[in-house]
């Protein structure tokens, strides 16, 4: 690959309703979309999922935009790139900032797959023709409201329901859902809202037969997660804590959890997600693919990575209309029951909807 030009789009994609986590209530998915153009004319697309404010990790959109524009894109222009994962050596001097790295890595994988006449799933080594999805529900106003929301998704056929929690909106909320649905596959996602001082409350969640509690403690604290996991029956799933293969190895050694939510954006792209998944499957760690309220660009990459055999649990890959009235790809991602069918088209399998992309773009830049 030999990148001759790059287009950057700063996009504000409105959510069809606010999504509340323990750290924020979001009304828009604010992201950066990249279009890389190879010298043979092949186009590849990637997305930086950095949020407007660095709630989730150290990255934020304005910083990602500038880092891509001033540092990262110039490093890949007009040089030979043999494989998408060459970027990990090229950008070894840049600490963290995995979401910016992911945008470039995913766009290069898109080009690479197209140039090899393969779907992105095939290029990555996937073996599934469809991937199962679960649903993620933001924090609700009351236990009754949460039960109502869950009821709708259970009726739609979803097997795995993930519910966001935070102190004061946790045990009673999930207990109400468990009472209504005694056999449902339920999990709680804390987004690092708790500390070890909350251990007695977290131990109460053991009574609710959850398949996992996701990221209860601070992102970088594998030691406290190990202390907590030793006292919980429920499996801990790590999200923000796993940003590299090294983190996954430490998680196993310390027994900090039993499950990994692999987010392509968080770990730096498809190549690193594939390495972490390989390590997990070799060591008996279950995995699933998480998301960042992604636009269709990143969502399509998530579908492809979830076709790998190590993704053993339902994924956070919803239909476009789950979060958006309109998306920026065509066709939009749709559900077949509670599954997403894997595209048979080369590359990402979806094309940008340039009309919608222009509609929601608040800034753009072209680099040659």
């Amino acid at each position: 690959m030999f990148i001759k030009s790059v287009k950057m789009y700063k996009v504000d994609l409105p959510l069809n309703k606010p999504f509340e986590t323990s750290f924020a209530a979001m009304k828009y998915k604010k992201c950066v979309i990249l279009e890389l153009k190879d010298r043979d004319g092949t186009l590849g697309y990637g997305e930086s999922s950095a949020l407007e404010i660095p709630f989730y990790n150290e990255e934020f959109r304005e910083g990602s935009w500038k880092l891509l524009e001033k540092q990262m894109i110039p490093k890949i222009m007009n040089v030979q790139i043999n494989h998408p994962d060459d970027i990990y050596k090229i950008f070894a001097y840049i600490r963290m900032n995995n979401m910016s790295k992911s945008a470039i890595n995913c766009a290069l994988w898109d080009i690479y797959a197209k140039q090899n006449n393969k779907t992105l799933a095939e290029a990555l080594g996937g073996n599934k023709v469809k991937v199962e999805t679960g649903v993620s529900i933001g924090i609700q106003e009351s236990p009754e409201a949460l039960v109502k929301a869950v009821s709708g998704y259970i009726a739609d056929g979803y097997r795995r329901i993930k519910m966001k929690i935070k102190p004061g909106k946790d045990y009673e909320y999930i207990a109400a859902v468990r009472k209504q649905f005694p056999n449902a596959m339920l999990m709680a996602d804390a987004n690092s809202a708790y500390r070890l001082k909350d251990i007695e409350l977290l131990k109460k969640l053991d009574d609710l037969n959850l398949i996992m509690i996701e990221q209860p403690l601070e992102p970088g604290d594998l030691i406290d997660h190990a202390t907590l996991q030793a006292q919980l029956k429920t499996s801990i799933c790590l999200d923000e804590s796993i940003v590299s293969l090294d983190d996954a190895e430490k998680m196993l050694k310390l027994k900090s959890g039993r499950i990994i939510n692999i987010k392509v954006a968080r770990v730096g792209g498809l190549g690193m997600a594939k390495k972490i998944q390989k390590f997990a499957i070799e060591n008996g760690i279950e995995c699933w693919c998480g998301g960042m309220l992604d636009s269709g660009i990143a969502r399509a990459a998530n579908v492809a990575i979830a076709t790998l055999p190590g993704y053993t649990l339902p994924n956070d890959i919803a239909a476009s209309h789950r979060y958006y009235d309109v998306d920026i790809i065509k066709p939009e991602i749709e559900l077949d029951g509670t599954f997403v069918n894997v595209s048979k088209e080369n590359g990402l399998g979806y094309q940008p909807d340039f009309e919608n992309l222009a509609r929601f773009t608040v800034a753009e830049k072209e680099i040659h």
Side-chain angles (χ1 to χ4, degrees):
M1 292 170 283
F2 201 88
I3 305 304
K4 299 294 292 184
S5 66
V6 177
K7 289 183 180 178
M8 304 174 62
Y9 301 90
K10 193 180 295 182
V11 175
D12 289 1
L13 188 58
L15 296 165
N16 51 30
K17 58 183 177 181
F19 189 84
E20 185 176 350
T21 69
S22 67
F23 54 73
M26 292 180 283
K27 296 181 180 180
Y28 293 85
K29 171 59 182 181
K30 298 190 175 187
C31 61
V32 176
I33 301 298
L34 295 185
E35 177 191 271
L36 273 54
K37 188 175 184 178
D38 187 72
R39 63 182 171 187
D40 68 0
T42 305
L43 299 176
Y45 295 90
E47 174 175 330
S48 171
S49 298
L51 302 176
E52 183 179 20
I53 297 172
F55 292 119
Y56 176 79
N57 67 355
E58 79 287 351
E59 293 178 82
F60 62 104
R61 185 174 67 167
E62 292 303 314
S64 178
W65 176 276
K66 286 297 184 182
L67 181 64
L68 286 162
E69 176 191 7
K70 300 296 185 181
Q71 285 282 331
M72 300 179 76
I73 290 172
K75 292 287 186 181
I76 63 166
M77 294 291 290
N78 301 307
V79 297
Q80 183 172 320
I81 299 172
N82 296 316
H83 189 275
D85 294 346
D86 288 353
I87 68 128
Y88 298 122
K89 290 183 179 179
I90 295 172
F91 299 134
Y93 75 101
I94 296 176
R95 296 194 179 202
M96 306 298 287
N97 290 283
N98 283 343
M99 292 184 178
S100 300
K101 295 174 183 177
S102 177
I104 292 177
N105 182 252
C106 290
L108 289 172
W109 270 103
D110 188 16
I111 292 173
Y112 180 80
K114 289 171 180 173
Q115 290 179 337
N116 286 278
N117 295 312
K118 292 182 177 181
T119 68
L120 182 55
E122 289 170 339
L124 289 166
N127 63 357
K128 300 171 188 170
V129 296
K130 59 182 180 179
V131 297
E132 187 174 7
T133 69
V135 66
S136 179
I137 301 175
I139 294 172
Q140 302 295 300
E141 293 182 358
S142 66
E144 294 76 20
L146 181 59
V147 169
K148 182 178 179 181
V150 171
S151 297
Y153 292 115
I154 294 287
D156 289 340
Y158 286 95
R159 291 197 310 130
R160 193 223 71 194
I161 307 291
K162 180 170 88 169
M163 297 160 287
K164 299 286 186 178
I165 60 171
K166 66 180 180 180
K169 293 192 173 184
D170 39 42
Y171 180 82
E172 290 184 0
Y173 283 65
I174 299 179
V177 174
R178 176 55 77 202
K179 182 178 180 180
Q180 186 72 23
F181 302 102
N183 299 313
M185 185 185 288
L186 303 180
M187 61 176 287
D189 183 6
N191 288 116
S192 305
Y194 298 85
R195 300 296 178 264
L196 271 184
K197 65 181 177 63
D198 302 308
I199 195 164
E200 292 305 316
L201 169 61
L202 294 169
K203 285 168 70 173
K204 284 180 65 178
L205 297 177
D206 278 341
D207 298 336
L208 302 178
N209 191 28
L210 304 178
I211 59 169
M212 69 185 90
I213 302 171
E214 185 178 357
Q215 197 64 45
L217 307 179
E218 290 186 277
D221 202 336
L222 292 172
I223 293 174
D224 279 358
H225 275 106
T227 300
L228 178 61
Q229 181 66 90
Q231 298 189 53
L232 292 182
K233 297 176 184 176
T234 307
S235 293
I236 289 176
C237 170
L238 293 183
D239 176 354
E240 291 96 322
S241 291
I242 307 298
V243 299
S244 66
L245 178 60
D246 185 63
D247 288 334
E249 292 169 347
K250 287 185 171 71
M251 168 191 163
L252 179 69
K253 185 175 182 179
L254 295 171
K255 300 181 181 179
S256 305
R258 303 174 188 141
I259 302 170
I260 300 176
N261 169 0
I262 301 180
K263 289 180 180 173
V264 171
R266 188 191 71 240
V267 302
L270 293 163
M272 188 55 64
K274 186 176 178 180
K275 288 182 180 179
I276 293 171
Q277 174 269 330
K278 182 176 183 293
F279 171 80
I281 197 173
E282 289 173 350
N283 289 280
I285 299 171
E286 291 198 277
C287 293
W288 53 284
C289 179
M292 293 289 298
L293 295 179
D294 305 293
S295 84
I297 299 292
R299 198 174 298 266
N302 292 344
V303 171
I305 199 72
T307 64
L308 291 171
Y311 288 81
T312 54
L313 295 166
N315 307 280
D316 270 352
I317 305 173
S320 295
H321 286 290
R322 165 72 175 86
Y323 299 111
Y324 308 111
D325 289 331
V326 292
D327 205 340
I328 57 172
I329 59 167
K330 55 184 182 182
E332 293 187 343
I333 293 175
E334 297 180 346
L335 292 182
D336 180 4
T338 58
F339 289 81
V340 173
N341 293 319
V342 179
S343 175
K344 297 179 181 178
E345 300 296 322
N346 288 343
L348 275 178
Y350 300 83
Q351 297 300 318
D353 184 323
F354 288 105
E355 182 177 341
N356 284 341
L357 183 59
R359 178 181 170 189
F360 300 120
T361 292
V362 297
E364 60 183 287
K365 184 178 183 65
E366 188 162 359
I367 300 172
H368 294 275

